[in-house]
Amino acid sequence: MFPLQLLALIFISSTTVEPPPEEKQKEKKKEKEEKEKDRYDLMFRRGDLLEVPRTLFTHFGIYLGGGRVAHFIPDIMPIVSSDQFRIKQMVTNTRLLLGVLTKCGSVRVDSVEDFAYGAEIIINPMDKMCSRAALQGEQVARRAEKLLGDVAYSLLWYNCEHFVMYCRYGTVMSFQTFQFCKTMRKLLLSRGVAKVTALLAACLLVYLRVSNTWSVLLAVMLPFLIWMAS
């Protein structure tokens, strides 16, 4: 019986079916993803605030662990499609710009690679700028997770920076918005703009030959208000 058992074992081992190439590729991809998650968990801590510079603005997110980032981003896709597979794909610049115009956004979870979009990641830059102390990492991450879903987006009044500031520091503010409003104030509410407005208003009244009280009052009040606000 021993030779027969030996032959049977040899036959079974020689006829073992190897997994198809597709299965091997899936296994290799899964192993690679696990290694990436472990690598990011060594770089970041759960609750860290991540910042990535973009062309026209800076984007922010909260690290949740396992190579995942929660971030608030404008996106048109949830309006035009109910296909969750398409919605979960990486937000392109076109989707982002259309989301800004339609004021539609969502707090979503993406991989670190999709969040960074090829840019360098800066860790917790607001800790030195914000007067409030950062909350505990677990509390920060839980706040971010509770806010997942569709949210109305506003470029000035509620953007990705407002979201992360609330999660990490408990205050809703944006340094980018503050700097933008400060710059616009310097450009629009200046004495030079007041003088140009007064000159254009006077020329318009003469050109249109308008001399009624309300038109003259408007032509005077607009440059006066700009002058006083400058």
Side-chain angles (χ1 to χ4, degrees):
M1 292 298 292
F2 177 75
L4 291 176
Q5 291 176 352
L6 181 62
L7 288 173
L9 287 173
I10 295 172
F11 176 77
I12 292 171
S13 61
S14 63
T15 56
T16 302
V17 179
E18 291 198 6
E22 294 81 4
E23 292 295 329
K24 286 185 177 180
Q25 289 178 358
K26 287 181 180 179
E27 289 178 3
K28 288 182 180 179
K29 185 179 179 181
K30 189 175 181 181
E31 289 177 2
K32 185 179 179 182
E33 288 176 352
E34 291 298 327
K35 288 180 180 179
E36 288 292 325
K37 289 178 182 179
D38 293 339
R39 180 169 70 90
Y40 288 125
D41 283 340
L42 293 174
M43 295 171 60
F44 313 126
R45 292 178 297 177
R46 180 170 163 84
D48 276 349
L49 188 155
L50 306 184
E51 174 185 315
V52 288
R54 296 286 178 89
T55 306
L56 299 175
F57 61 94
T58 303
H59 191 48
F60 300 90
I62 299 293
Y63 186 69
L64 301 179
R68 300 172 303 123
V69 181
H71 59 130
F72 182 34
I73 189 167
D75 185 13
I76 189 67
M77 190 58 70
I79 293 179
V80 300
S81 174
S82 59
D83 187 349
Q84 291 300 314
F85 177 77
R86 295 179 64 188
I87 292 173
K88 289 179 181 179
Q89 288 181 337
M90 184 175 62
V91 178
T92 61
N93 287 330
T94 303
R95 285 173 58 175
L96 187 147
L97 291 173
L98 291 175
V100 171
L101 294 175
T102 57
K103 294 185 177 294
C104 175
S106 63
V107 178
R108 52 184 284 158
V109 176
D110 283 313
S111 66
V112 174
E113 292 88 350
D114 288 349
F115 164 76
Y117 211 63
E120 180 185 358
I121 300 175
I122 304 171
I123 308 170
N124 298 324
M126 298 296 184
D127 287 1
K128 298 178 181 179
M129 301 171 61
C130 186
S131 58
R132 295 194 178 193
L135 301 173
Q136 294 294 323
E138 185 61 31
Q139 187 178 358
V140 175
R142 286 181 179 177
R143 281 191 172 199
E145 289 168 342
K146 285 181 180 179
L147 294 174
L148 294 176
D150 296 337
V151 183
Y153 184 88
S154 173
L155 190 61
L156 292 180
W157 312 122
Y158 195 69
N159 56 40
C160 60
E161 191 173 2
H162 291 98
F163 163 71
V164 297
M165 290 294 289
Y166 167 75
C167 292
R168 187 164 176 83
Y169 307 104
T171 180
V172 182
M173 65 172 297
S174 169
F175 290 104
Q176 288 185 108
T177 298
F178 175 77
Q179 190 61 43
F180 175 79
C181 292
K182 186 177 179 181
T183 303
M184 293 303 295
R185 180 180 177 275
K186 287 182 178 180
L187 292 174
L188 299 178
L189 302 179
S190 65
R191 294 183 178 183
V193 172
K195 292 175 181 178
V196 172
T197 305
L199 180 61
L200 289 174
C203 292
L204 189 61
L205 289 175
V206 172
Y207 178 76
L208 297 176
R209 297 179 182 179
V210 177
S211 58
N212 63 72
T213 305
W214 289 109
S215 299
V216 174
L217 184 63
L218 180 63
V220 172
M221 285 300 296
L222 183 58
F224 174 74
L225 291 174
I226 296 175
W227 177 272
M228 294 303 294
S230 64

